[in-house]
């Protein structure tokens, strides 16, 4: 009967067939691995090249932004020095030296000081009686200002303070005292060594020409944008903007409807985070305690082995460690 017969088939391979099959499988695996490795290398190479290109582009764009900032800052500095110097009827080099020397001495607002000096001396030259009567007829320029400083420096402290306050006000007198407390000649010789005033003034003049050129270009760019964007806006951009903002409003209104629920969810999440942080802190403290206990036990073992403590002392120490 069929159920009484059990036919057992034992698959066998001779050594040559087994070796052939092994070589074939190894060959297949090698080809697959090589293809995967090749594809991976190509992919990594593409990523590397892409990253290098992106990095190079970003670097160039970043450098352009830095150069644009440097141009703007430099031209703004030219305009600032020129306008402030003209406001005080000084040459750019004179204003630059006086203001920078004052800053080195600790004065933050040289312009206010020099304005007070000019106003008082102009009033003097119109015939009024002022603390600057001794300088009547002189121009309110750099040389007269330095003469005033020398005069205050030579006066006794009380006269100097009264004179400074009457010319510059109480706050201004504090700044004048900063100028009088240092050796301005020494500071000037160190700060302005090698400075050519003529070249400085020429640089400011060239800088102002460049600044005007920039402003002219900005005016032309502004006109071009107004014309171009006017045509774009007539093409429906404003309507699309309104549609977009309405969609934003709808989205925000939906969010506001669910504000309470959202706030509760966030509060719950914060509570979970707080509990998690507390649990982590407790775990860390527990681990630190175990680590300390292990270190103390190891030290007690070392002392016991070296004969520094007895078995009784060891038992007492280790017993107290884990209390």
């Amino acid at each position: 009967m069929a159920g009484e017969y059990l036919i057992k088939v034992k698959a066998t391979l001779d050594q040559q067939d087994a070796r052939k099959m092994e070589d074939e499988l190894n060959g297949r695996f090698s080809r697959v691995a090589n293809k995967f490795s090749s594809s991976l290398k190509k992919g990594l190479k593409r990523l590397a090249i892409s990253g290098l290109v992106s990095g190079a582009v970003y670097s160039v764009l970043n450098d352009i932004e830095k150069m644009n900032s440097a141009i703007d800052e430099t031209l703004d500095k030219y305009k600032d020095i020129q306008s402030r110097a003209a406001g005080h009827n000084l040459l750019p080099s004179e204003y630059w030296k006086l203001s920078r020397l004052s800053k080195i001495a600790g004065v933050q607002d040289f312009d206010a000081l020099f304005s007070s000096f000019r106003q008082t001396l102009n009033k003097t030259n119109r015939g009024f009686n002022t603390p600057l009567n001794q300088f009547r007829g002189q121009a309110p320029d750099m040389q007269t200002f330095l003469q005033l400083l020398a005069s205050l420096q030579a006066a006794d402290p009380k006269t100097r303070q009264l004179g400074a306050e009457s010319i510059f006000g109480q706050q201004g007198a504090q700044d004048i005292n900063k100028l009088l407390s240092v050796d301005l000649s020494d500071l000037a010789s160190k700060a302005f060594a090698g400075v050519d005033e003529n070249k400085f003034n020429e640089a400011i003049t060239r800088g102002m020409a460049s600044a005007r050129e920039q402003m002219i270009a900005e005016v032309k760019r502004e006109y071009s944008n107004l014309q171009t964007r006017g045509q774009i806006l007539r093409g429906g951009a404003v309507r699309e903007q309104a549609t977009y903002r309405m969609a934003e409003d709808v989205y925000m209104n939906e969010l506001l409807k669910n504000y309470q629920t959202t706030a509760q969810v966030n509060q719950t999440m914060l509570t979970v985070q707080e509990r998690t942080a507390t649990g982590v802190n407790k775990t860390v403290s527990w681990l630190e305690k175990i680590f300390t206990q292990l270190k103390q036990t190891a030290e007690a073992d070392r002392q016991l082995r070296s004969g520094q403590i007895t078995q009784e002392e060891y038992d007492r120490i280790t017993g107290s460690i884990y209390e």
Side-chain angles (χ1 to χ4, degrees):
M1 294 175 64
E4 296 178 356
Y5 297 94
L6 179 61
I7 302 177
K8 295 182 180 180
V9 179
K10 184 178 181 180
T12 59
L13 291 173
D14 58 30
Q15 187 174 1
Q16 183 177 359
D17 290 337
R19 174 62 61 184
K20 182 177 179 181
M21 181 178 292
E22 182 181 358
D23 291 342
E24 183 178 354
L25 289 173
N26 287 335
R28 291 181 181 177
F29 280 119
S30 296
R31 287 193 297 272
V32 171
N34 288 334
K35 288 180 180 179
F36 176 77
S37 176
S38 177
S39 299
L40 181 60
K41 288 178 180 178
K42 289 179 181 178
L44 292 175
K45 186 176 181 181
R46 291 193 189 99
L47 286 174
I49 293 174
S50 176
L52 289 173
V53 172
S54 299
V57 171
Y58 176 78
S59 178
V60 170
L61 293 176
N62 193 39
D63 288 341
I64 290 175
E65 288 299 319
K66 289 180 180 178
M67 288 186 285
N68 284 333
S69 295
I71 291 172
D72 293 339
E73 289 173 7
T74 304
L75 295 180
D76 287 342
K77 186 70 69 176
Y78 287 136
K79 291 185 288 186
D80 182 67
I81 293 174
Q82 175 62 36
S83 63
R84 290 176 183 269
H88 295 307
N89 200 27
L90 296 172
L91 292 173
S93 58
E94 292 175 335
Y95 171 79
W96 181 71
K97 281 188 172 182
L98 283 175
S99 61
R100 275 33 178 191
L101 194 61
S102 299
K103 189 173 183 179
I104 294 173
V107 176
Q108 297 301 319
D109 193 355
F110 163 77
D111 293 87
L113 285 182
F114 202 80
S115 293
S116 297
F117 157 73
R118 292 185 72 243
Q119 291 171 8
T120 304
L121 187 54
N122 285 333
K123 188 176 180 179
T124 305
N125 288 334
R126 291 197 302 270
F128 291 92
N129 185 32
T130 73
L132 296 181
N133 285 338
Q134 69 183 96
F135 300 103
R136 190 184 303 275
Q138 293 184 225
D141 56 16
M142 177 180 178
Q143 295 304 322
T144 307
F145 182 74
L146 293 176
Q147 289 175 17
L148 170 61
L149 293 181
S151 176
L152 290 172
Q153 183 72 59
D156 62 84
K158 184 177 180 180
T159 302
R160 181 191 310 137
Q161 186 65 26
L162 289 174
E165 289 184 1
S166 63
I167 299 169
F168 302 101
Q170 189 173 7
Q171 180 61 45
Q174 294 179 13
D175 282 337
I176 285 296
N177 287 331
K178 292 178 182 178
L179 287 174
L180 299 178
S181 66
V182 298
D183 187 339
L184 293 178
S185 297
D186 181 61
L187 288 180
S189 64
K190 293 177 180 177
F192 307 129
V195 172
D196 188 317
E197 292 189 9
N198 291 328
K199 290 184 178 180
F200 184 90
N201 291 328
E202 290 172 1
I204 296 295
T205 300
R206 290 193 301 270
M208 285 301 299
S210 298
R212 283 190 290 270
E213 183 180 351
Q214 186 194 54
M215 287 186 283
I216 290 171
E218 284 296 318
V219 170
K220 292 182 176 180
R221 188 169 70 90
E222 182 182 28
Y223 172 78
S224 177
N225 281 332
L226 289 173
Q227 294 296 317
T228 303
R229 293 177 185 179
Q231 295 175 359
I232 294 173
L233 295 178
R234 285 199 303 270
V238 173
R239 291 193 300 273
E240 292 299 327
Q241 182 190 52
T243 301
Y244 172 76
R245 287 181 173 173
M246 288 178 64
E248 278 188 320
D249 291 339
V250 171
Y251 175 71
M252 180 54 65
N253 291 338
E254 290 300 320
L255 288 179
L256 291 174
K257 289 179 182 178
N258 297 292
Y259 178 83
Q260 184 176 2
T261 302
T262 304
Q264 291 174 348
V265 170
N266 279 276
Q267 289 172 5
T268 302
M269 292 178 63
L270 289 173
T271 302
V272 171
Q273 290 176 353
E274 181 182 357
R275 291 175 179 174
T276 301
T278 302
V280 170
N281 290 335
K282 289 181 179 179
T283 302
V284 170
S285 298
W286 178 69
L287 290 174
E288 288 178 345
K289 181 178 179 180
I290 291 178
F291 180 70
T292 301
Q293 291 172 340
L294 291 175
K295 284 178 60 178
Q296 293 174 343
T297 301
E299 177 62 20
D301 288 339
R302 185 190 66 78
Q303 292 177 352
L304 178 64
R305 289 194 301 271
S306 63
Q308 295 178 344
I309 59 175
T310 63
Q311 182 65 48
E312 183 180 353
E313 291 173 325
Y314 173 81
D315 292 339
R316 186 177 67 255
I317 293 172
T318 55
S320 63
I321 290 174
Y322 295 98
E323 289 179 350

